[in-house]
Amino acid sequence: MSSTFPKWYDFFMSPLERRRFKSIRKDLLKGATGTVLELGSGTGVNFPLYRNVDHVIAIEPSQHMIDQSLPRLQLAEVPIDLVNASAERLPFEDHTFDTIVATLVFCTIPNVDEAINELKRVCKPNGKILLFEHVKMENKVLSSMQEGLTPFWSKICDGCCLNRETLKAFTSKGFVMERLETCYKDLFIIAELWNRKE
């Protein structure tokens, strides 16, 4: 990841974050409990919003993003450790986390299947997955536009893909849906899933 993208990320996202997104994040994170893994913590937007959890380990593959997140780390009300790591290669033991949080990150993970396999490994049996992601839309016209725009969009937005079917990727791996909401004409999903005990 270049150093330019993290620098401008908050600037371009701030109108959405000040309005609907902050409310969505706060509501979603109310469901986090115990030991939490946050994937792709970025510039640390979630850090000040955690409340009734024991500990958060936040992974982020970009050192530039980690550096930019440090001011928000100081605002956190719970213990948060930052780890430079990727979702496809998590440096944690099996069944470590009670809750896994992913907000606007699966669009940029290079290998979604590998990442979800890793989440399943480190999540406790019957643990919780909290997602807030933008996904491929159901409307055929809009989804075809997403398909067409993705190659260009991905280049200018550090690998962000507009056409990911993230929810299907999770349910195909055995995660069970507990709650699902959509917003902005189903461009965004807010979901709570659990890691079904086999």
Side-chain angles (χ1 to χ4, degrees), residues 105-197:
V105 64
F106 266 91
C107 56
T108 57
I109 291 175
N111 192 314
V112 171
D113 282 342
E114 281 187 19
I116 294 176
N117 286 337
E118 278 289 85
L119 292 195
K120 197 162 185 68
R121 180 182 67 79
V122 302
C123 186
K124 291 180 180 179
N126 297 322
K128 192 182 299 183
I129 311 292
L130 302 176
L131 297 178
F132 170 40
E133 297 287 344
H134 69 76
V135 295
K136 186 175 180 179
M137 301 171 80
E138 294 292 331
N139 181 287
K140 289 184 178 180
V141 174
L142 295 176
S143 64
S144 65
M145 287 176 61
Q146 287 176 299
E147 291 284 357
L149 284 170
T150 288
F152 171 74
W153 184 262
S154 181
K155 286 179 182 177
I156 64 170
C157 293
D158 262 36
C160 175
C161 297
L162 298 170
N163 57 350
R164 289 274 168 89
E165 297 185 90
T166 303
L167 206 53
K168 289 181 181 177
F170 269 89
T171 55
S172 72
K173 299 286 187 181
F175 288 94
V176 177
M177 184 83 62
E178 286 223 342
R179 178 173 72 97
L180 174 64
E181 297 176 32
T182 63
C183 60
Y184 294 100
K185 298 186 183 294
D186 79 16
L187 174 59
F188 293 90
I189 58 159
I190 304 105
E192 184 175 319
L193 305 98
W194 60 281
N195 186 22
R196 182 172 58 194
K197 185 175 180 180

Side-chain angles (χ1 to χ4, degrees), residues 77-90:
E77 296 188 12
V78 303
I80 297 178
D81 290 327
L82 274 167
V83 176
N84 185 210
S86 70
E88 297 97 330
R89 299 287 185 274
L90 295 174

